[in-house]
Amino acid sequence: MIRRRFFSVTANACYPLPTTTKQDMKKYGVSEEFVNRNPRNLEMLGIAHKRRGWKFQAPRKDFYHELTLYREGQHTVAKLIHSSGKCIVSASTKESAISQQLPSTTDVNACYNIGRVIAHRCHQVGIDSMMFVPDGSGEAVKRFEEALLSSGIQLEEIDEEPYRDYEIGTDYDTASPS
């Protein structure tokens, strides 16, 4: 768990609140420490570790979120899958609200509209970058990618931050003047 002290943030600095005392915080029921309970926060910052797997493993596992597009019978389906294997967001022409607006549930326009719908749903849950490895290079896949990119979705995830082993601050005793 990440614990943070109660700070005030301005445009230029982050400093402890000068007027707030421990008695005031107890009086209003505010804790001194903030515990971040968002499990995706570290992923969005690029700090969480990605699963690596074997070098030539297929399918790949080095992602936080993977977008898949496939055809299931007479329907087009897109799913956003977390690295744990759980489906976060999905859109399909099986949904009556989508299929009623389309003349066909498997053509190029269906893929384009599924791309727009899943992009909107991804924005609603706060995910704007994901890994997408298309199975083919047909016109439907190109239109699906076009719909995602025009909606502001990035099809590449941010790189994982390397572990930094350093001490915070400057040692002025050993620093030489420049």
Side-chain angles (χ1 to χ4, degrees), residues 48-61:
H49 296 291
K50 291 184 180 181
R51 295 180 181 195
R52 293 285 179 227
W54 299 97
K55 186 174 183 178
F56 297 110
Q57 181 179 5
R60 292 175 52 182
K61 296 290 182 189

Side-chain angles (χ1 to χ4, degrees), residues 73-89:
Q74 293 295 316
H75 296 282
T76 304
V77 181
K79 289 185 178 182
L80 182 69
I81 300 172
H82 189 262
S83 61
S84 64
K86 295 180 182 177
C87 178
I88 299 174
V89 176

Side-chain angles (χ1 to χ4, degrees), residues 5-6 17-33:
R5 299 274 313 159
F6 195 79
L17 288 173
T19 59
T20 306
T21 63
K22 287 186 179 183
Q23 294 168 349
D24 291 339
M25 294 175 106
K26 286 181 182 177
K27 178 181 174 184
Y28 295 113
V30 177
S31 176
E32 282 187 45
E33 294 182 350

Side-chain angles (χ1 to χ4, degrees), residues 40 65-70 76-82 86-93 95 97-98 102 109-132 140-141 143-155:
R40 286 190 11 242
H65 304 102
E66 179 187 31
L67 184 63
T68 58
L69 173 70
Y70 59 94
T76 304
V77 181
K79 289 185 178 182
L80 182 69
I81 300 172
H82 189 262
K86 295 180 182 177
C87 178
I88 299 174
V89 176
S90 67
S92 172
T93 55
E95 300 173 26
I98 296 173
L102 299 172
N109 289 328
C111 287
Y112 181 77
N113 286 306
I114 289 295
R116 288 178 46 213
V117 170
I118 199 150
H120 179 71
R121 292 178 183 175
C122 286
H123 281 301
Q124 285 181 333
V125 297
I127 299 172
D128 61 352
S129 66
M130 59 199 68
M131 184 183 82
F132 177 62
V141 174
R143 294 281 292 173
F144 180 75
E145 287 180 2
E146 178 186 324
L148 291 170
L149 293 172
S150 66
S151 298
I153 297 291
Q154 297 174 2
L155 297 180

